[in-house]
Amino acid sequence: MIRQSRPLARSVSFDVTDGHGVIEVTGGERGSLLLLAGDLEFLEANDGCGSMGWLAARAGTGGPGLSDVKYLIEWLGAPGLVPDPRTGQAEPPDPESLRPLLSLLSPGRYVMTAALAPHHLRVVHPRALQVRSWYADEELALVTTDAWPPRDHRAVRRYRDRIRAGGDLPALVALFPTAGSRVGYLLDGHHKLAAYEQAEVRPLVIRLVPQVPRPFRPDDLERAQAAFSDGPSRHQGDTLGRVFPSMWEESA
């Protein structure tokens, strides 16, 4: 069941009371973990070296991919959200429109907003047991959780042609650990994002954020250290070694 309230303009808060807990994000603005079906899958964090250096990593291939645990929502292809031409913000949709996806979240209260992405948007695609590093020269970075670039080129072309024609923009859905986080996980919309890039148009992003951030759990951090210190990522252990101490400090 989803109960909602609207405390602020252009945002909507809602409660996921019977969520299945398939998708969960923990952490804060300095770093986070994304868990799928209880298994740790992705990590992003500030590397602690100054100049806003960031890294993202993906665990091994044995865990579930997001495409295996989510529902595809055709509604997102044309949600009817109209961004303000001055601010880029749009009135967020009714949470019931996203119920098939929201029901996969961990129970709790979330805040949803919708807006065009900044002009400088970074797409980060971490491969299994590898670390991807970058400097945050942009206002927003999205970590992909599915195949990138998307394999269905026809779907990308359909979205691209629709975007170029104007009218109803397709929407992406991303989950962020906090409202102030500059890095989020792309839950749905990989084909749409690729289409936006080809059309050279800023994408419309629906942001989901837990109203109360969820701290790291010690057992998840233990599993994360084990996962990301194995295999090809070992040669980047120094980078990860700088990240985990700060995560332990922020754990519950």
Side-chain angles (χ1 to χ4, degrees):
M1 179 182 297
I2 298 174
R3 302 195 309 272
Q4 67 182 78
S5 59
R6 291 182 178 269
L8 297 173
R10 298 193 183 277
S11 70
V12 58
S13 298
F14 59 93
D15 293 310
V16 177
T17 59
D18 56 355
H20 299 297
V22 174
I23 302 172
E24 183 180 19
V25 63
T26 63
E29 296 178 20
R30 294 182 56 190
S32 66
L33 298 172
L34 183 71
L35 294 89
L36 302 177
D39 291 330
L40 180 116
E41 283 291 302
F42 295 91
L43 170 154
E44 60 83 17
N46 187 321
D47 67 7
C49 290
S51 301
M52 290 302 291
W54 290 83
L55 62 84
R58 182 173 186 175
T61 58
L66 191 55
S67 60
D68 298 324
V69 298
K70 74 179 181 183
Y71 293 96
L72 296 180
I73 306 173
E74 293 185 4
W75 174 85
L76 288 168
L81 306 180
V82 181
D84 185 290
R86 296 180 298 105
T87 65
Q89 296 182 354
E91 191 70 25
D94 184 339
E96 285 296 332
S97 302
L98 289 167
R99 183 178 176 83
L101 181 59
L102 299 182
S103 67
L104 298 178
L105 297 173
S106 293
R109 169 157 283 212
Y110 294 81
V111 178
M112 176 167 54
T113 59
L116 295 177
H119 285 289
H120 300 290
L121 168 67
R122 181 178 293 272
V123 179
V124 182
H125 180 58
R127 300 182 183 277
L129 293 177
Q130 295 183 13
V131 176
R132 176 86 182 274
S133 301
W134 76 95
Y135 287 100
D137 297 327
E138 55 287 303
E139 299 177 44
L140 177 66
L142 294 179
V143 178
T144 62
T145 60
D146 210 338
W148 187 262
R151 300 186 182 96
D152 190 343
H153 302 296
R154 288 183 296 179
V156 173
R157 285 195 299 269
R158 287 195 299 270
Y159 283 122
R160 180 198 62 197
D161 293 344
R162 185 192 307 173
I163 292 168
R164 287 176 173 172
D168 199 356
L169 294 175
L172 320 178
V173 180
L175 179 64
F176 293 77
T178 69
S181 298
R182 298 173 63 178
V183 185
Y185 300 96
L186 183 61
L187 300 185
D188 185 85
H190 293 73
H191 294 87
K192 304 178 189 75
L193 178 56
Y196 272 114
E197 289 192 335
Q198 291 184 13
E200 298 182 340
V201 174
R202 291 190 291 162
L204 177 60
V205 182
I206 296 174
R207 296 173 61 123
L208 304 176
V209 182
Q211 183 164 304
V212 178
R214 303 168 187 266
F216 295 117
R217 293 184 293 262
D219 59 334
D220 291 335
L221 289 177
E222 290 179 358
R223 291 190 295 144
Q225 284 188 291
F228 294 123
S229 63
D230 191 17
S233 66
R234 283 179 176 167
H235 70 283
Q236 296 177 341
D238 291 342
T239 303
L240 290 172
R242 291 192 296 267
V243 165
F244 281 111
S246 63
M247 287 183 163
W248 278 106
E249 292 177 0
E250 298 176 10
S251 63

